[in-house]
Amino acid sequence: SNAEYGMMEAYKLMQTIRRFEVTADGAYKAKLIRGFLHLYNGQEAVCAGMEAALRSEDHIITAYRDHGWYLGRGGSLEAGFAELLGRIGGCSRGNGGSMHFYDKANNFYGGNGIVGAQGPLGAGIAFGAKFKNRDEVCVTLYGDGAANQGQLFEAYNMAQLWSLPTIFVCENNLYGMGTSIERASANRNFYKRAEYVPGMRVDGMDVLAVRAATRWARDHAVAHGPVVLEMETYRYAGHSMSDPGTAYRTREEIRTIRQNKDPIERHRRRLIDAGMADLAELKAIDKEIKTRVDEAFAAAKLSPEPTVAESLYAHQQVLELPTHRNIGCEVPASQ
């Protein structure tokens, strides 16, 4: 049935994202990946649940914890790894790295390194959809750390004034870098932050809860304008690879959430209990995904590094400036 297909596809996507991130973690520690790397382990249900309710023509823009969203949009495993490795075969041709995945063909706009900057951009993408009278929404994602950014509130305001079809999603993983939401936010009800925009708090560790909330949010956004979803989730790793993730929270906290709320394990048990799959079948799927991911990583390592001509100067636009300029502040007083 379609329901069974959707349930299994959500499982496969979550497992693919987890395996991709585990592989990236190992590659970083082997010094094959340099610079910044922000892993999505633990938060997979947000992406998989939303994608189960969205359409391919919808748009997604997020911050720098972006690998899962790129894959959820249909991005290539090999191109994802190649981007992490800084190779020409990467989804941003090796120019962006971990924080700047991009896939225009699948309506994925990154991958943005400036905290909160994707808020106004997402509102602009939604404006474009409305201007062209298209039945599309833009999912604009940010974290609890970015929820206090002023530009986000400007985006809320414009989106509500113009009834823009955007779903603002706060992925609340409880910590902005190493600072807990209790220490950073005077109002921790992130779904109420927009005040005049309707909001909902969702169990972001339950892929079906996320799917149900997204279906409602998409219908609302198209018909009435913006909505805010607060996804309560949790990241297992540190903020980035330089953060061990245990200086501001206990190992016991991490272990307890992994044991009781892991989105993949919860969904695995649900599939088995509903008779949609048995343990042997799911283990076979896990093995197949691991093989696909390993093969994609091996292929990505064969992609050449970009040359200066292919990378540094390839996408620059040169504008010829006029030789004579008449700018007010530069006109001599005698004229």
Side-chain angles (χ1 to χ4, degrees):
S1 70
N2 287 337
E4 289 182 3
Y5 174 80
M7 293 270 279
M8 291 299 291
E9 288 305 300
Y11 178 82
K12 290 177 183 178
L13 177 54
M14 288 193 291
Q15 196 65 273
T16 300
I17 294 171
R18 180 73 59 89
R19 179 51 56 182
F20 183 95
E21 297 295 56
V22 168
T23 304
D25 177 78
Y28 193 95
K29 290 170 180 173
K31 298 185 178 180
L32 295 173
I33 298 172
R34 302 286 185 154
F36 291 102
L37 186 71
H38 304 82
L39 302 177
Y40 202 61
N41 311 47
Q43 301 183 207
E44 298 92 346
V46 181
C47 173
M50 294 203 74
E51 283 291 3
L54 295 171
R55 303 175 185 177
S56 60
E57 60 266 27
D58 291 329
H59 311 268
I60 293 179
I61 188 167
T62 187
Y64 40 76
R65 204 176 300 280
D66 60 351
H67 310 157
W69 290 98
Y70 165 76
L71 295 175
R73 285 274 84 186
S76 155
L77 284 166
E78 183 180 334
F81 280 129
E83 190 59 40
L84 293 180
L85 295 167
R87 307 299 175 89
I88 196 72
C91 56
S92 297
R93 299 186 64 77
N95 288 315
S98 169
M99 296 202 293
H100 300 288
F101 278 31
Y102 183 80
D103 189 355
K104 184 179 180 181
N106 287 319
N107 297 321
F108 178 67
Y109 303 92
N112 291 269
I114 304 301
V115 176
Q118 67 276 18
L121 295 177
I125 294 167
F127 178 83
K130 180 163 185 170
F131 184 79
K132 295 172 183 175
N133 198 29
R134 293 177 176 170
D135 181 17
E136 300 168 358
V137 300
C138 181
V139 175
T140 303
L141 297 123
Y142 54 95
D144 51 277
N148 299 315
Q149 279 280 325
Q151 57 193 325
L152 194 60
F153 291 85
E154 296 178 48
Y156 291 154
N157 185 59
M158 287 190 290
Q160 182 66 20
L161 281 172
W162 297 338
S163 301
L164 302 182
T166 184
I167 305 172
F168 292 103
V169 180
C170 177
E171 291 189 281
N172 176 13
N173 61 23
L174 306 183
Y175 299 93
M177 296 186 71
T179 305
S180 69
I181 58 173
E182 288 80 11
R183 294 179 59 212
S185 296
N187 178 1
R188 297 189 293 277
N189 294 316
F190 296 104
Y191 69 104
K192 295 182 178 179
R193 283 289 196 87
E195 190 178 10
Y196 37 75
V197 177
M200 179 188 295
R201 178 178 282 152
V202 184
D203 182 355
M205 305 294 272
D206 182 344
V207 69
L208 295 190
V210 174
R211 183 180 69 176
T214 305
R215 284 174 173 168
W216 168 81
R218 191 190 187 284
D219 289 344
H220 179 95
V222 169
H224 306 293
V227 63
V228 177
L229 296 181
E230 177 189 345
M231 299 290 183
E232 289 190 311
T233 185
Y234 197 81
R235 59 169 164 79
Y236 295 154
H239 171 74
S240 64
M241 295 301 290
S242 61
D243 168 25
T246 53
Y248 47 88
R249 57 183 184 174
T250 65
R251 295 182 188 276
E252 179 62 26
E253 176 185 304
I254 302 169
R255 185 164 50 247
T256 299
I257 291 179
R258 289 194 77 140
Q259 288 175 351
N260 299 326
K261 288 190 172 184
D262 183 76
I264 297 177
E265 288 303 315
R266 287 174 80 177
H267 197 54
R268 189 201 308 268
R269 289 195 299 269
R270 182 182 280 142
L271 290 169
I272 293 171
D273 292 344
M276 293 183 179
D278 57 35
L279 187 58
E281 185 179 354
L282 294 175
K283 283 186 175 180
I285 289 172
D286 296 348
K287 184 177 180 180
E288 179 193 348
I289 288 171
K290 183 180 185 303
T291 299
R292 278 200 304 117
V293 170
D294 289 347
E295 289 175 350
F297 182 63
K301 286 193 287 185
L302 299 177
S303 178
E305 294 185 355
T307 65
V308 171
E310 289 173 319
S311 179
L312 193 59
Y313 302 124
H315 302 289
Q316 289 189 1
Q317 294 182 351
V318 179
L319 177 66
E320 292 290 337
L321 294 175
T323 54
H324 172 73
R325 296 182 299 164
N326 189 14
I327 300 173
C329 63
E330 295 182 354
V331 176
S334 60
Q335 295 183 16

